[in-house]
Amino acid sequence: MTGWEISCISCSMTIHPAIRLLIAEIEVFRGKTGMSSTAFGTLSLNDPKFVSDLHKGRTPSLSTMDKVRAFMQANDRAPSEHAGAA
């Protein structure tokens, strides 16, 4: 194993730290907003399995990572704030 690889806890593969960071950012966002993983994937990329696939080792492109981060930045509000915006 090289210095940048991190073992996946539930499997035998390794996940690059940049993807681990993205997963952590998504989980913080989901916790803050109360959004399910399916809703997150659907709303951010029109891909309901995106989050579960990341946890299984999917390697997104840099463009996809940028789209996900842009979605989170644009929607970084608590659930009560979403209701007030309607």
Side-chain angles (χ1 to χ4, degrees):
M1 184 168 2
T2 65
W4 62 263
E5 294 172 323
I6 299 172
S7 295
C8 178
I9 294 170
S10 63
C11 54
S12 61
M13 68 183 166
T14 56
I15 298 177
H16 191 278
I19 298 168
R20 284 276 185 206
L21 177 60
L22 179 65
I23 291 169
E25 291 170 7
I26 290 169
E27 295 308 322
V28 167
F29 174 85
R30 290 183 51 238
K32 187 179 197 180
T33 62
M35 191 176 291
S36 71
S37 60
T38 302
F40 179 88
T42 301
L43 293 171
S44 64
L45 298 169
N46 200 28
D47 181 354
K49 295 183 180 181
F50 178 72
V51 176
S52 64
D53 286 351
L54 279 181
H55 285 283
K56 292 176 186 174
R58 177 175 172 177
T59 303
S61 67
L62 292 175
S63 173
T64 297
M65 293 171 70
D66 288 344
K67 288 177 188 176
V68 167
R69 287 190 171 112
F71 170 80
M72 290 188 291
Q73 186 174 17
N75 296 280
D76 191 15
R77 295 178 280 175
S80 61
E81 295 177 44
H82 286 286

